[in-house]
Amino acid sequence: MRGASGRLLPLACLLALHAGLLQGVNITSPAPLVRGTAGKAALLSVRYSSASADKPVVKWQLKRDKPVTVVQSIGTEIIGNLRPDYRDRIRILENGSLLISPLQLADEGTYEVEVSITDDTFTGEKTINLTVDIPVSKPQVVVASSTVLELSEYVTLNCSHENGTKPSYTWLKDGRPLSNDSRLLLSPDHKVLTITRVLMADDDVYSCLVENPISQGRSVPVKLTVYRRSSLYIILSTGGIFLLVTLVTVCACWKPSKKGKRGAEAPGAAEFAEQDEEHLKHEAEAAARSAEPDRKNPVALYILKDKESPEAEEDAAPGEPRSGAEPPAPGYV
């Protein structure tokens, strides 16, 4: 008889529990994840139900390597002293919810609440995750130069912003997310965009989008201008530089033969001497022609002088020779 009654006891307990004879606290939470903003308030909301009219005992803990008790209360009345970092920032509501205001970054973590009532056999438990962030400020794209030559080695764009926790970065080209391209390299945190071997297709406007759990910001678009290289540069950059160096080396090393140079100089010297001789001859002939008008006939001068001085003939004694009858011949200038 005793053995049979021992086996029936667990079954009777299960039946009594199913029938509601053993009461427990049931806890629900409308928001298992709460995203809070530093400096503002956060409400970790729960609801419990119980058949007992007694006030519940509420205990909130922050789960770390070693759980930290945040607050304990009977109803809304806090029991004991709060930790210094929670003092004047903690409040328990009638339904067991926890209000923290103002939030600090250190408040982030996983919170566990226990609600128990004396008349109830089972204690209700619930877990809520809290994140605390600082909103991101408006970002801006920083680039060393907004103009770049085609086929340049690379150009770097940096998404910069002052405030914001846990940011994530998205790069946009003409307002659309960048497509996958082996020339587009992103830093591990996606904050820096590097375009390698710039092409004309990269000439466009770029912007960055920064987001975190509570906010987002988008930068003002920045225009990247790509200028086309000349055809000569493209030839040289694709291997023509080797041909150019070879030609310059050959031209620098080549020297003309001295024998050929002397043979080439001889005809030129003879021709120059002949031209000089002819030039001097022409100058002599021109000088002779210019002196011809100045020549005077000595006979004509003699006759003219006789006509102009008849009195000299009369005064001259007979038989005396005439002085100056034959003037000397004129000379050449």
Side-chain angles (χ1 to χ4, degrees), residues 5 15 21 24 52 61 68 120 124 202-204 218 247 251 269:
S5 63
L15 292 175
L21 297 177
S52 175
Q61 287 184 321
V68 176
D120 293 334
D202 298 325
D203 188 301
D204 214 321
R218 182 172 176 177
L247 292 176
C251 293

Side-chain angles (χ1 to χ4, degrees), residues 124-314:
E125 297 180 355
K126 197 67 179 177
T127 299
I128 298 177
N129 292 317
L130 172 65
T131 63
V132 182
D133 290 289
I134 298 175
V136 296
S137 56
K138 186 176 181 64
Q140 62 177 349
V141 176
V142 179
V143 58
S145 176
S146 59
T147 59
V148 65
L149 289 176
E150 181 188 17
L151 303 180
S152 295
E153 185 177 356
Y154 66 90
V155 61
T156 301
L157 296 88
N158 184 13
C159 186
S160 175
H161 62 97
E162 294 182 358
N163 302 320
T165 55
K166 299 191 284 289
S168 62
Y169 303 90
T170 303
W171 284 95
L172 308 174
K173 179 181 180 181
D174 195 20
R176 296 183 295 272
L178 288 177
S179 57
N180 293 329
D181 193 326
S182 60
R183 297 184 304 106
L184 305 179
L185 305 179
L186 292 173
S187 60
D189 58 0
H190 291 195
K191 186 177 181 179
V192 179
L193 169 65
T194 302
I195 305 175
T196 60
R197 193 162 179 80
V198 182
L199 301 178
M200 293 302 299
D202 298 325
D203 188 301
D204 214 321
V205 291
Y206 294 84
S207 59
C208 67
L209 178 66
V210 184
E211 299 175 287
N212 72 355
I214 60 172
S215 63
Q216 67 175 9
R218 182 172 176 177
S219 69
V220 176
V222 171
K223 179 69 169 66
L224 181 64
T225 304
V226 181
Y227 290 103
R228 190 177 298 278
R229 294 269 190 180
S230 63
S231 300
L232 177 61
Y233 174 84
I234 296 175
I235 293 173
L236 295 179
S237 63
T238 54
I241 186 65
F242 176 76
L243 177 60
L244 179 61
V245 171
T246 304
L247 292 176
V248 171
T249 304
V250 172
C251 293
C253 296
W254 180 78
K255 293 182 179 180
S257 175
K258 293 183 179 180
K259 183 177 180 180
K261 183 176 181 182
R262 291 174 181 175
E265 289 177 356
E271 183 179 356
F272 178 80
E274 183 179 354
Q275 292 179 357
D276 188 39
E277 183 178 355
E278 291 179 359
H279 179 68
L280 292 175
K281 185 177 180 181
H282 288 311
E283 286 183 352
E285 292 177 356
R289 285 194 298 269
S290 64
E292 286 179 359
D294 296 333
R295 295 176 184 174
K296 295 183 179 179
N297 191 347
V299 178
L301 292 173
Y302 177 74
I303 296 172
L304 180 59
K305 186 175 182 180
D306 290 345
K307 289 182 179 181
E308 291 177 351
S309 56
E311 296 178 355
E313 295 181 358
E314 295 178 356

Side-chain angles (χ1 to χ4, degrees), residues 10-26:
L11 180 61
C13 292
L14 290 175
L15 292 175
L17 176 62
H18 181 71
L21 297 177
L22 297 178
Q23 300 294 327
V25 178
N26 183 26

